[in-house]
Amino acid sequence: MIKALFFDIDGTLVSFRDHAVPVSTRRALEQLRQRGVKLFIASGRHPSDIFPVCDFPFDGYVALNGGYCLAGRDEVVFRRAIPEEDVERLIRWQQGPDAFACVLAGEREMCLNFVDERVERIRKLVRTSQPARLVSAEEWSEAARRGVLQLIAFFSPEEEPRLMREVLPGCRPMRWNPLFADVVPAGVDKAEGIDRLLARFGIGLDETMAFGDGGNDIPMLRHVGTGVAMGNADGAVKAEADYVTTSVDEEGIARALRHFGLID
């Protein structure tokens, strides 16, 4: 019996085509809520950028790829920051010739050091209600030292191994797009965040289902009782799922929920 469902946002709940939650998905969520199923978000987004996009009253949020978890909108269940040593190495690196555009996600703020072509391309792909604040290099460094839960780091897959080894060894990259990686503290992922919320609500792992489409969704699709990949996911994500549905633009969530008998 499924008692809890976890949903990624971009490419899963929300279409890249119109940046909206499909009507069929919203109706499915309402029916699940009426049947007593707990509903959760599991996203790489910051809470400030989740609530305006997904205004449905979810029971909790696995935000920042598991690094910041909330029961409801206010109760912090779990948080883990990037190690201070990694932050200092990052600040020094960003003062050199190979600096890369980088968003710092703190508990209360998100700030960006500079805009380049990669940043512009992602801005067109992913609609954010509260874009990261563009700040000076000095302000960016000061914000980093106040504590960072996640980096949105605009470096390529080819650059990634060196940067993770030399600059951010206490972290792990999570990528669903070649233009950037979500960098989180080692040991953090959506599966860890799910465990924290399940413990809070007293739900067993075998009573869970999750929906996702990106590389950062693989840990949770492997972890939950039933992992569902969207039809728009790439092959690596689909290979880790128990079931593959249609795309977000083809009513993929509603179709899968009907397949498993969770909605009419």
Side-chain angles (χ1 to χ4, degrees):
M1 180 177 177
I2 300 298
K3 294 183 179 180
L5 284 156
F6 292 83
F7 299 93
D8 173 53
I9 295 178
D10 299 295
T12 300
L13 274 180
V14 174
S15 168
F16 287 119
R17 184 181 64 187
D18 60 11
H19 307 288
V21 178
V23 172
S24 64
T25 299
R26 185 171 288 275
R27 288 174 178 166
L29 294 175
E30 290 169 352
Q31 191 173 149
L32 290 164
R33 169 58 52 78
Q34 291 169 2
R35 295 184 175 189
V37 179
K38 295 293 185 184
L39 304 173
F40 301 95
I41 290 290
S43 173
R45 289 185 181 231
H46 191 279
S48 66
D49 200 33
I50 291 175
F51 301 150
V53 174
C54 297
D55 58 353
F56 187 86
F58 288 92
D59 296 287
Y61 302 83
V62 176
L64 299 176
N65 287 299
Y68 192 63
C69 302
L70 301 169
R73 292 194 173 195
D74 301 311
E75 180 188 342
V76 178
V77 174
F78 175 71
R79 72 182 300 281
R80 181 175 293 164
I82 289 175
E84 292 181 5
E85 298 85 355
D86 286 30
V87 170
E88 289 299 327
R89 278 189 291 267
L90 175 65
I91 290 171
R92 290 194 295 272
W93 182 276
Q94 296 293 62
Q95 294 168 349
D98 297 320
F100 52 87
C102 185
V103 174
L104 304 175
E107 192 162 352
R108 301 296 178 192
E109 62 182 343
M110 295 183 69
C111 57
L112 171 66
N113 53 348
F114 63 85
V115 175
D116 63 6
E117 186 263 345
R118 291 173 178 171
V119 175
E120 293 288 7
R121 288 173 63 184
I122 289 299
R123 283 178 170 176
K124 293 176 181 178
L125 178 66
V126 179
R127 180 171 296 175
T128 57
S129 58
Q130 296 186 21
R133 185 168 57 95
L134 183 62
V135 299
S136 68
E138 182 178 350
E139 289 177 290
W140 189 89
S141 297
E142 290 174 357
R145 292 191 172 104
R146 288 195 291 271
V148 182
L149 300 177
Q150 177 176 282
L151 306 172
I152 303 173
F154 289 84
F155 51 65
S156 69
E158 294 72 29
E159 296 169 302
E160 183 177 295
R162 180 191 176 194
L163 288 167
M164 299 307 301
R165 181 178 64 252
E166 297 183 11
V167 184
L168 299 162
C171 300
R172 62 184 297 187
M174 310 193 78
R175 187 180 290 272
W176 59 267
N177 188 288
L179 296 175
F180 75 97
D182 291 333
V183 179
V184 298
V188 163
D189 59 22
K190 292 186 180 184
E192 170 70 15
I194 285 172
D195 284 345
R196 299 285 178 163
L197 284 180
L198 293 181
R200 165 65 178 76
F201 285 88
I203 298 172
L205 191 60
D206 61 337
E207 300 171 312
T208 61
M209 178 181 289
F211 288 77
D213 72 298
N216 61 335
D217 296 318
I218 288 175
M220 77 168 177
L221 295 182
R222 289 173 175 166
H223 191 60
V224 296
T226 304
V228 180
M230 304 301 291
N232 44 281
D234 66 26
V237 179
K238 292 176 179 177
E240 300 293 343
D242 299 297
Y243 181 77
V244 179
T245 186
T246 53
S247 75
V248 60
D249 294 310
E250 298 171 305
E251 301 188 350
I253 288 177
R255 288 174 184 267
L257 293 171
R258 282 194 292 270
H259 170 81
F260 287 103
L262 294 174
I263 63 171
D264 297 328

mmCIF file of all heavy atoms in Angstrom, residues 188-222:
data_model
loop_
_atom_site.group_PDB
_atom_site.id
_atom_site.type_symbol
_atom_site.label_atom_id
_atom_site.label_comp_id
_atom_site.label_asym_id
_atom_site.label_seq_id
_atom_site.Cartn_x
_atom_site.Cartn_y
_atom_site.Cartn_z
ATOM 1 N N VAL A 188 24.764 13.621 1.004
ATOM 2 C CA VAL A 188 23.432 14.196 0.785
ATOM 3 C C VAL A 188 22.916 13.799 -0.589
ATOM 4 O O VAL A 188 23.636 13.868 -1.574
ATOM 5 C CB VAL A 188 23.475 15.736 0.899
ATOM 6 C CG1 VAL A 188 22.238 16.370 0.279
ATOM 7 C CG2 VAL A 188 23.600 16.155 2.362
ATOM 8 N N ASP A 189 21.682 13.350 -0.647
ATOM 9 C CA ASP A 189 20.973 13.150 -1.912
ATOM 10 C C ASP A 189 19.483 13.052 -1.593
ATOM 11 O O ASP A 189 19.075 13.157 -0.427
ATOM 12 C CB ASP A 189 21.472 11.918 -2.687
ATOM 13 C CG ASP A 189 21.350 10.613 -1.918
ATOM 14 O OD1 ASP A 189 20.523 10.520 -0.975
ATOM 15 O OD2 ASP A 189 22.083 9.664 -2.250
ATOM 16 N N LYS A 190 18.685 12.881 -2.604
ATOM 17 C CA LYS A 190 17.237 12.845 -2.384
ATOM 18 C C LYS A 190 16.813 11.632 -1.562
ATOM 19 O O LYS A 190 15.837 11.703 -0.807
ATOM 20 C CB LYS A 190 16.496 12.883 -3.717
ATOM 21 C CG LYS A 190 16.629 14.210 -4.449
ATOM 22 C CD LYS A 190 15.761 14.265 -5.702
ATOM 23 C CE LYS A 190 15.904 15.595 -6.424
ATOM 24 N NZ LYS A 190 15.008 15.713 -7.587
ATOM 25 N N ALA A 191 17.554 10.528 -1.673
ATOM 26 C CA ALA A 191 17.234 9.344 -0.874
ATOM 27 C C ALA A 191 17.400 9.634 0.612
ATOM 28 O O ALA A 191 16.557 9.252 1.438
ATOM 29 C CB ALA A 191 18.116 8.171 -1.286
ATOM 30 N N GLU A 192 18.480 10.322 0.972
ATOM 31 C CA GLU A 192 18.696 10.695 2.369
ATOM 32 C C GLU A 192 17.570 11.602 2.859
ATOM 33 O O GLU A 192 17.054 11.438 3.976
ATOM 34 C CB GLU A 192 20.038 11.401 2.512
ATOM 35 C CG GLU A 192 20.304 12.050 3.860
ATOM 36 C CD GLU A 192 20.529 11.062 4.985
ATOM 37 O OE1 GLU A 192 20.770 9.876 4.687
ATOM 38 O OE2 GLU A 192 20.447 11.471 6.152
ATOM 39 N N GLY A 193 17.190 12.581 2.033
ATOM 40 C CA GLY A 193 16.109 13.478 2.413
ATOM 41 C C GLY A 193 14.793 12.743 2.603
ATOM 42 O O GLY A 193 14.021 13.040 3.532
ATOM 43 N N ILE A 194 14.520 11.783 1.740
ATOM 44 C CA ILE A 194 13.300 10.985 1.870
ATOM 45 C C ILE A 194 13.288 10.231 3.195
ATOM 46 O O ILE A 194 12.279 10.205 3.912
ATOM 47 C CB ILE A 194 13.169 10.015 0.675
ATOM 48 C CG1 ILE A 194 12.740 10.794 -0.573
ATOM 49 C CG2 ILE A 194 12.186 8.883 0.977
ATOM 50 C CD1 ILE A 194 12.766 9.984 -1.850
ATOM 51 N N ASP A 195 14.415 9.635 3.553
ATOM 52 C CA ASP A 195 14.487 8.913 4.824
ATOM 53 C C ASP A 195 14.184 9.828 6.003
ATOM 54 O O ASP A 195 13.513 9.426 6.973
ATOM 55 C CB ASP A 195 15.869 8.284 5.002
ATOM 56 C CG ASP A 195 16.054 7.031 4.154
ATOM 57 O OD1 ASP A 195 15.047 6.485 3.660
ATOM 58 O OD2 ASP A 195 17.210 6.603 3.991
ATOM 59 N N ARG A 196 14.691 11.063 5.950
ATOM 60 C CA ARG A 196 14.450 12.008 7.052
ATOM 61 C C ARG A 196 12.959 12.325 7.193
ATOM 62 O O ARG A 196 12.426 12.394 8.315
ATOM 63 C CB ARG A 196 15.230 13.298 6.806
ATOM 64 C CG ARG A 196 16.731 13.106 6.722
ATOM 65 C CD ARG A 196 17.354 12.875 8.070
ATOM 66 N NE ARG A 196 18.791 12.650 7.967
ATOM 67 C CZ ARG A 196 19.638 12.740 8.982
ATOM 68 N NH1 ARG A 196 19.187 13.034 10.185
ATOM 69 N NH2 ARG A 196 20.934 12.518 8.801
ATOM 70 N N LEU A 197 12.270 12.510 6.069
ATOM 71 C CA LEU A 197 10.844 12.823 6.142
ATOM 72 C C LEU A 197 10.013 11.599 6.507
ATOM 73 O O LEU A 197 9.024 11.709 7.243
ATOM 74 C CB LEU A 197 10.367 13.420 4.825
ATOM 75 C CG LEU A 197 10.766 14.875 4.592
ATOM 76 C CD1 LEU A 197 10.256 15.374 3.253
ATOM 77 C CD2 LEU A 197 10.230 15.784 5.703
ATOM 78 N N LEU A 198 10.402 10.433 6.027
ATOM 79 C CA LEU A 198 9.664 9.226 6.394
ATOM 80 C C LEU A 198 9.746 8.977 7.894
ATOM 81 O O LEU A 198 8.760 8.570 8.526
ATOM 82 C CB LEU A 198 10.207 8.019 5.621
ATOM 83 C CG LEU A 198 9.976 8.021 4.114
ATOM 84 C CD1 LEU A 198 10.557 6.748 3.493
ATOM 85 C CD2 LEU A 198 8.504 8.150 3.765
ATOM 86 N N ALA A 199 10.920 9.214 8.481
ATOM 87 C CA ALA A 199 11.063 9.051 9.929
ATOM 88 C C ALA A 199 10.174 10.050 10.669
ATOM 89 O O ALA A 199 9.555 9.710 11.684
ATOM 90 C CB ALA A 199 12.529 9.235 10.329
ATOM 91 N N ARG A 200 10.108 11.251 10.142
ATOM 92 C CA ARG A 200 9.272 12.287 10.772
ATOM 93 C C ARG A 200 7.792 11.913 10.739
ATOM 94 O O ARG A 200 7.040 12.158 11.705
ATOM 95 C CB ARG A 200 9.518 13.624 10.062
ATOM 96 C CG ARG A 200 8.510 14.716 10.320
ATOM 97 C CD ARG A 200 8.478 15.188 11.760
ATOM 98 N NE ARG A 200 7.524 16.277 11.938
ATOM 99 C CZ ARG A 200 6.205 16.138 11.981
ATOM 100 N NH1 ARG A 200 5.654 14.922 11.895
ATOM 101 N NH2 ARG A 200 5.418 17.198 12.136
ATOM 102 N N PHE A 201 7.330 11.292 9.639
ATOM 103 C CA PHE A 201 5.912 10.988 9.476
ATOM 104 C C PHE A 201 5.563 9.539 9.814
ATOM 105 O O PHE A 201 4.394 9.154 9.740
ATOM 106 C CB PHE A 201 5.468 11.305 8.045
ATOM 107 C CG PHE A 201 5.305 12.769 7.771
ATOM 108 C CD1 PHE A 201 6.379 13.535 7.338
ATOM 109 C CD2 PHE A 201 4.090 13.403 7.971
ATOM 110 C CE1 PHE A 201 6.245 14.902 7.090
ATOM 111 C CE2 PHE A 201 3.944 14.765 7.736
ATOM 112 C CZ PHE A 201 5.031 15.512 7.299
ATOM 113 N N GLY A 202 6.554 8.727 10.163
ATOM 114 C CA GLY A 202 6.286 7.344 10.546
ATOM 115 C C GLY A 202 5.799 6.472 9.412
ATOM 116 O O GLY A 202 4.887 5.651 9.579
ATOM 117 N N ILE A 203 6.424 6.615 8.244
ATOM 118 C CA ILE A 203 6.035 5.845 7.053
ATOM 119 C C ILE A 203 7.203 4.950 6.646
ATOM 120 O O ILE A 203 8.369 5.361 6.688
ATOM 121 C CB ILE A 203 5.663 6.788 5.897
ATOM 122 C CG1 ILE A 203 4.452 7.639 6.293
ATOM 123 C CG2 ILE A 203 5.375 6.010 4.612
ATOM 124 C CD1 ILE A 203 4.126 8.741 5.310
ATOM 125 N N GLY A 204 6.909 3.715 6.235
ATOM 126 C CA GLY A 204 7.937 2.771 5.826
ATOM 127 C C GLY A 204 8.380 2.998 4.394
ATOM 128 O O GLY A 204 7.603 3.442 3.550
ATOM 129 N N LEU A 205 9.631 2.669 4.117
ATOM 130 C CA LEU A 205 10.167 2.862 2.775
ATOM 131 C C LEU A 205 9.414 2.047 1.726
ATOM 132 O O LEU A 205 9.242 2.482 0.582
ATOM 133 C CB LEU A 205 11.654 2.492 2.759
ATOM 134 C CG LEU A 205 12.457 2.868 1.519
ATOM 135 C CD1 LEU A 205 12.443 4.376 1.283
ATOM 136 C CD2 LEU A 205 13.892 2.360 1.642
ATOM 137 N N ASP A 206 8.940 0.867 2.102
ATOM 138 C CA ASP A 206 8.210 0.028 1.161
ATOM 139 C C ASP A 206 6.830 0.588 0.831
ATOM 140 O O ASP A 206 6.145 0.082 -0.061
ATOM 141 C CB ASP A 206 8.089 -1.398 1.699
ATOM 142 C CG ASP A 206 7.340 -1.472 3.025
ATOM 143 O OD1 ASP A 206 7.297 -0.449 3.749
ATOM 144 O OD2 ASP A 206 6.805 -2.548 3.345
ATOM 145 N N GLU A 207 6.430 1.639 1.535
ATOM 146 C CA GLU A 207 5.123 2.268 1.306
ATOM 147 C C GLU A 207 5.236 3.545 0.486
ATOM 148 O O GLU A 207 4.342 4.387 0.491
ATOM 149 C CB GLU A 207 4.471 2.589 2.662
ATOM 150 C CG GLU A 207 4.240 1.359 3.525
ATOM 151 C CD GLU A 207 3.801 1.687 4.935
ATOM 152 O OE1 GLU A 207 4.435 2.550 5.583
ATOM 153 O OE2 GLU A 207 2.808 1.068 5.395
ATOM 154 N N THR A 208 6.357 3.687 -0.252
ATOM 155 C CA THR A 208 6.632 4.930 -0.974
ATOM 156 C C THR A 208 6.767 4.706 -2.478
ATOM 157 O O THR A 208 7.135 3.633 -2.946
ATOM 158 C CB THR A 208 7.927 5.576 -0.466
ATOM 159 O OG1 THR A 208 9.025 4.674 -0.685
ATOM 160 C CG2 THR A 208 7.840 5.891 1.015
ATOM 161 N N MET A 209 6.501 5.785 -3.193
ATOM 162 C CA MET A 209 6.694 5.836 -4.643
ATOM 163 C C MET A 209 7.288 7.202 -4.975
ATOM 164 O O MET A 209 6.974 8.192 -4.312
ATOM 165 C CB MET A 209 5.363 5.642 -5.383
ATOM 166 C CG MET A 209 5.453 5.725 -6.909
ATOM 167 S SD MET A 209 3.810 5.527 -7.713
ATOM 168 C CE MET A 209 3.520 3.783 -7.417
ATOM 169 N N ALA A 210 8.159 7.252 -5.989
ATOM 170 C CA ALA A 210 8.760 8.524 -6.392
ATOM 171 C C ALA A 210 8.756 8.647 -7.905
ATOM 172 O O ALA A 210 8.869 7.653 -8.631
ATOM 173 C CB ALA A 210 10.186 8.647 -5.865
ATOM 174 N N PHE A 211 8.651 9.906 -8.370
ATOM 175 C CA PHE A 211 8.654 10.231 -9.790
ATOM 176 C C PHE A 211 9.824 11.176 -10.080
ATOM 177 O O PHE A 211 10.018 12.164 -9.374
ATOM 178 C CB PHE A 211 7.359 10.945 -10.192
ATOM 179 C CG PHE A 211 6.140 10.074 -10.227
ATOM 180 C CD1 PHE A 211 5.501 9.690 -9.050
ATOM 181 C CD2 PHE A 211 5.614 9.641 -11.436
ATOM 182 C CE1 PHE A 211 4.362 8.904 -9.084
ATOM 183 C CE2 PHE A 211 4.468 8.854 -11.480
ATOM 184 C CZ PHE A 211 3.843 8.477 -10.300
ATOM 185 N N GLY A 212 10.579 10.896 -11.151
ATOM 186 C CA GLY A 212 11.674 11.786 -11.517
ATOM 187 C C GLY A 212 12.091 11.611 -12.961
ATOM 188 O O GLY A 212 11.668 10.668 -13.642
ATOM 189 N N ASP A 213 12.929 12.530 -13.418
ATOM 190 C CA ASP A 213 13.377 12.473 -14.823
ATOM 191 C C ASP A 213 14.859 12.762 -15.005
ATOM 192 O O ASP A 213 15.388 12.593 -16.101
ATOM 193 C CB ASP A 213 12.584 13.491 -15.657
ATOM 194 C CG ASP A 213 12.994 14.922 -15.350
ATOM 195 O OD1 ASP A 213 12.837 15.355 -14.203
ATOM 196 O OD2 ASP A 213 13.509 15.595 -16.261
ATOM 197 N N GLY A 214 15.566 13.227 -13.957
ATOM 198 C CA GLY A 214 16.948 13.659 -14.121
ATOM 199 C C GLY A 214 17.939 12.782 -13.385
ATOM 200 O O GLY A 214 17.568 11.939 -12.552
ATOM 201 N N GLY A 215 19.221 13.006 -13.674
ATOM 202 C CA GLY A 215 20.265 12.230 -13.019
ATOM 203 C C GLY A 215 20.248 12.365 -11.507
ATOM 204 O O GLY A 215 20.582 11.407 -10.785
ATOM 205 N N ASN A 216 19.867 13.535 -11.008
ATOM 206 C CA ASN A 216 19.805 13.714 -9.558
ATOM 207 C C ASN A 216 18.628 12.986 -8.921
ATOM 208 O O ASN A 216 18.520 12.929 -7.692
ATOM 209 C CB ASN A 216 19.762 15.208 -9.193
ATOM 210 C CG ASN A 216 18.554 15.928 -9.762
ATOM 211 O OD1 ASN A 216 17.974 15.515 -10.771
ATOM 212 N ND2 ASN A 216 18.165 17.020 -9.141
ATOM 213 N N ASP A 217 17.749 12.407 -9.754
ATOM 214 C CA ASP A 217 16.629 11.614 -9.241
ATOM 215 C C ASP A 217 16.979 10.136 -9.088
ATOM 216 O O ASP A 217 16.225 9.387 -8.451
ATOM 217 C CB ASP A 217 15.412 11.735 -10.170
ATOM 218 C CG ASP A 217 14.867 13.138 -10.228
ATOM 219 O OD1 ASP A 217 14.792 13.778 -9.166
ATOM 220 O OD2 ASP A 217 14.540 13.608 -11.332
ATOM 221 N N ILE A 218 18.093 9.705 -9.652
ATOM 222 C CA ILE A 218 18.438 8.287 -9.613
ATOM 223 C C ILE A 218 18.528 7.745 -8.188
ATOM 224 O O ILE A 218 17.974 6.665 -7.907
ATOM 225 C CB ILE A 218 19.731 8.021 -10.411
ATOM 226 C CG1 ILE A 218 19.437 8.165 -11.917
ATOM 227 C CG2 ILE A 218 20.290 6.632 -10.101
ATOM 228 C CD1 ILE A 218 20.670 8.045 -12.799
ATOM 229 N N PRO A 219 19.184 8.438 -7.242
ATOM 230 C CA PRO A 219 19.231 7.871 -5.883
ATOM 231 C C PRO A 219 17.856 7.606 -5.285
ATOM 232 O O PRO A 219 17.647 6.583 -4.616
ATOM 233 C CB PRO A 219 19.994 8.945 -5.093
ATOM 234 C CG PRO A 219 20.856 9.610 -6.104
ATOM 235 C CD PRO A 219 20.016 9.656 -7.352
ATOM 236 N N MET A 220 16.897 8.500 -5.513
ATOM 237 C CA MET A 220 15.580 8.261 -4.906
ATOM 238 C C MET A 220 14.798 7.194 -5.668
ATOM 239 O O MET A 220 14.049 6.430 -5.062
ATOM 240 C CB MET A 220 14.778 9.557 -4.786
ATOM 241 C CG MET A 220 14.146 10.089 -6.026
ATOM 242 S SD MET A 220 12.949 11.419 -5.600
ATOM 243 C CE MET A 220 12.442 11.919 -7.252
ATOM 244 N N LEU A 221 14.961 7.110 -6.994
ATOM 245 C CA LEU A 221 14.247 6.082 -7.742
ATOM 246 C C LEU A 221 14.731 4.689 -7.353
ATOM 247 O O LEU A 221 13.953 3.734 -7.320
ATOM 248 C CB LEU A 221 14.428 6.304 -9.247
ATOM 249 C CG LEU A 221 13.822 7.591 -9.817
ATOM 250 C CD1 LEU A 221 14.039 7.662 -11.323
ATOM 251 C CD2 LEU A 221 12.340 7.699 -9.495
ATOM 252 N N ARG A 222 16.018 4.574 -7.057
ATOM 253 C CA ARG A 222 16.567 3.302 -6.573
ATOM 254 C C ARG A 222 16.067 2.969 -5.166
ATOM 255 O O ARG A 222 15.904 1.806 -4.807
ATOM 256 C CB ARG A 222 18.092 3.373 -6.526
ATOM 257 C CG ARG A 222 18.810 3.382 -7.855
ATOM 258 C CD ARG A 222 20.284 3.627 -7.587
ATOM 259 N NE ARG A 222 21.101 3.542 -8.803
ATOM 260 C CZ ARG A 222 22.352 3.967 -8.873
ATOM 261 N NH1 ARG A 222 22.928 4.518 -7.801
ATOM 262 N NH2 ARG A 222 23.034 3.849 -9.991
#
